[in-house]
Amino acid sequence: MKTTTASRAFPPAGLRLPGRWAVLPAAVLAGAVLGGGYGALKTPEYAATSYVIVVPGEKSDPAGALGFAQAYGRVATDIAVTGDAQVWAGVTAATLRKKVTAETSPDAPMISITARAAQPAKAVSMADGVARALILDSSHVASSTGVKVVQFSRATKPVDPVSPSASLSALVGGCAGGLLGGLGLLVRPKRAAARGESRHSRRAGAPVPAPAVSGAHRPETV
């Protein structure tokens, strides 16, 4: 009598490993904690902006003021470093290069000078110091350029920091953690699933040994 043994059905590898899906919420939680901690411990940073405008002289072409504004905007921080902005702002030249930026407008001969600092008052002094150095330098070469830089608006003391808050940092960290966790789930389980399926195929294809026949039931030879 031939006996057959029913092969067991193995669920897919992804269903047999429910614990790996815990990686995603754990990654989100870890990223949110790290991001929130960074936002809470990081020193807030404030930004102040001072505006200057380039005006043409009596015998200069008004259209040339726009071109000089673009040129002064590119070298504003260099002029500030070589001038007296360090003294007026009370910071080093390296700080001015790192924390001060200048932007120009394509439509108007205006330059915005933005400074960032941990203290609101320091950000104001840095922005106004660079603007003052730019105005002083332009007055020295006004006879050759035909234009000069004048103060349009002084920097105002900022109230709110521009650096991200702890809640925003936690949100960004959680999103980053979820992204990394999801990528890990997409890459890592493929190898484990392939190994599991190969083991199951070997088990299912293994021959079933025939049952042993006891000596009492052996057929007699005539």
Side-chain angles (χ1 to χ4, degrees):
M1 180 179 179
K2 186 178 179 180
T3 60
T4 58
T5 303
S7 60
R8 293 181 297 175
F10 293 92
L15 297 179
R16 289 184 290 104
L17 299 173
R20 70 184 180 89
W21 294 106
V23 174
L24 186 58
V28 173
L29 180 61
V33 171
L34 292 176
Y38 174 80
L41 297 177
K42 179 178 172 58
T43 303
E45 196 173 51
Y46 296 85
T49 303
S50 181
Y51 296 91
V52 296
I53 189 170
V54 180
V55 296
E58 296 180 357
K59 299 180 180 180
S60 302
D61 183 9
L66 183 60
F68 277 105
Q70 301 292 330
Y72 276 122
R74 294 189 182 96
V75 299
T77 54
D78 294 333
I79 293 175
V81 170
T82 57
D84 297 328
Q86 303 173 64
V87 179
W88 297 326
V91 296
T92 62
T95 302
L96 288 178
R97 285 194 178 98
K98 183 179 179 181
K99 296 295 184 179
V100 178
T101 58
E103 296 181 358
T104 57
S105 172
D107 303 324
M110 182 177 292
I111 306 171
S112 62
I113 301 170
T114 303
R116 294 172 176 263
Q119 297 83 23
K122 180 62 66 177
V124 171
S125 62
M126 290 170 60
D128 286 340
V130 174
R132 185 177 176 184
L134 196 60
I135 293 171
L136 183 62
D137 185 83
S138 69
S139 64
H140 293 162
V141 294
S143 58
S144 57
T145 60
V147 298
K148 61 180 179 178
V149 181
V150 297
Q151 186 79 52
F152 183 79
S153 175
R154 295 179 64 88
T156 58
K157 189 175 181 179
V159 178
D160 299 322
V162 293
S163 55
S165 60
S167 58
L168 181 58
S169 299
L171 179 61
V172 173
C175 294
L179 178 61
L180 294 177
L183 291 176
L185 288 176
L186 291 176
V187 175
R188 189 175 180 181
K190 291 182 178 180
R191 298 179 180 176
R195 289 195 297 266
E197 290 176 359
S198 62
R199 288 197 300 267
H200 299 154
S201 61
R202 288 197 299 268
R203 291 179 182 177
V208 179
V213 180
S214 61
H217 294 83
R218 292 179 181 176
E220 296 181 356
T221 304
V222 179

